[in-house]
């Protein structure tokens, strides 16, 4: 029925609305720290690269939702997921090799040195990002396939809570660049969401 479809879909919609709130919250924290202009710029560049590098793993949720119909298929998809996340992480490590990084940021993009230096640190903090995203999206596909979409939304609550707590603790207690605070908050959030998805 239309109502049952709505009940199935609503938690997934709520999860995306909650995830969309991350950006404004993190930007508000960074804007209140020192050198806000450089740090907001660096965070934006680092986040764009994190999204680009994680892009191959985004559809793992759709793949596991559609294909994980038995234990054999689940194991094959899991092996594929591990290989894909390892490849994405290796790509970020390659970008972080100093000569490669300098060429990309200075020559290709043309970032000012102040922004490039902050971005470099933020990208190191984003290193677990692709693996955590791929792993939790793979597991969320299993939850969706089994009809437990409310648990997907609950995982997003865990992510947002961890992200907000990390950002506020770093804001109040540590003297770190804002771009690093933002990257740490997002990375902590997705890692905890992956743990929550595994437990679920």
């Amino acid at each position: 029925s239309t109502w049952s479809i709505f009940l199935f879909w609503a938690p997934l919609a709520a999860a995306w609305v909650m995830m969309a709130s991350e950006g404004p919250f993190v930007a508000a924290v960074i804007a209140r720290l020192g050198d806000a202009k450089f740090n907001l710029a660096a965070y934006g560049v680092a986040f764009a690269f994190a999204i680009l590098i994680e892009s191959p793993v985004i559809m793992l949720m759709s793949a596991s939702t559609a294909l994980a119909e038995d234990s054999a298929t689940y194991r094959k998809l899991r092996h594929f997921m591990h290989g894909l996340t390892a490849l994405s992480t290796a790509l970020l490590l390659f970008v972080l090799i100093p000569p490669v990084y300098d060429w990309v940021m200075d020559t290709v993009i043309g970032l000012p040195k102040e922004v490039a230096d902050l971005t470099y640190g933020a990208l190191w903090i984003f290193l677990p990002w692709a693996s955590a995203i791929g792993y939790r999206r793979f597991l969320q596909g299993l939850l969706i396939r089994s009809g437990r979409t409310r648990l997907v939304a609950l995982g997003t609550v865990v992510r947002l809570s961890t992200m907000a707590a990390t950002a506020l603790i770093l804001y109040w207690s540590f003297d770190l660049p804002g771009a690093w605070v933002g990257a740490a908050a997002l990375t902590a959030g997705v890692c905890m969401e992956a743990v929550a998805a595994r437990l679920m």
Side-chain angles (χ1 to χ4, degrees):
S1 68
T2 302
W3 179 245
S4 64
I5 293 172
F6 174 78
L7 292 177
F8 182 87
W9 166 84
L12 301 177
W16 280 102
V17 171
M18 287 187 284
M19 282 192 291
S21 69
E22 281 182 335
F25 179 86
V26 171
V29 172
I30 296 173
R32 287 164 171 78
L33 292 167
D35 293 323
K37 182 172 73 171
F38 291 136
N39 278 281
L40 283 168
Y43 172 77
V45 174
F47 184 70
F49 267 87
I51 294 293
L52 176 64
I53 287 168
E54 70 148 335
S55 59
V57 310
I58 287 293
M59 297 307 288
L60 281 169
M61 183 167 68
S62 299
S64 63
T65 302
L67 300 176
E69 58 188 19
D70 54 35
S71 60
T73 309
Y74 162 77
R75 285 192 295 270
K76 290 177 182 178
L77 281 169
R78 185 180 60 189
H79 292 150
F80 178 78
M81 176 269 297
H82 286 313
L84 194 60
T85 56
L87 185 63
S88 297
T89 302
L91 178 59
L92 179 52
L93 279 171
F94 176 74
V95 171
L96 288 169
I97 296 172
V100 176
Y101 182 83
D102 292 342
W103 178 76
V104 171
M105 297 302 172
D106 295 344
T107 305
V108 177
I109 298 180
L111 285 183
K113 186 178 186 309
E114 298 88 347
V115 177
D117 290 345
L118 290 166
T119 302
Y120 188 71
L123 284 175
W124 274 108
I125 297 169
F126 272 127
L127 193 60
W129 173 270
S131 293
I133 293 284
Y135 184 63
R136 65 98 174 168
R137 289 185 74 82
F138 169 72
L139 294 174
Q140 285 176 337
L142 302 179
L143 292 172
I144 293 169
R145 186 176 179 89
S146 63
R148 293 181 285 180
T149 54
R150 291 181 182 179
L151 293 180
V152 175
L154 180 59
T156 306
V157 172
V158 171
R159 170 179 174 167
L160 286 179
S161 301
T162 304
M163 179 274 299
T166 302
L168 293 174
I169 288 169
L170 294 177
Y171 172 77
W172 284 321
S173 304
F174 295 88
D175 185 21
L176 294 174
W180 298 7
V181 170
L186 290 190
T187 300
V190 298
C191 287
M192 283 304 298
E193 187 182 22
V195 172
R198 179 68 184 89
L199 294 173
M200 293 170 188

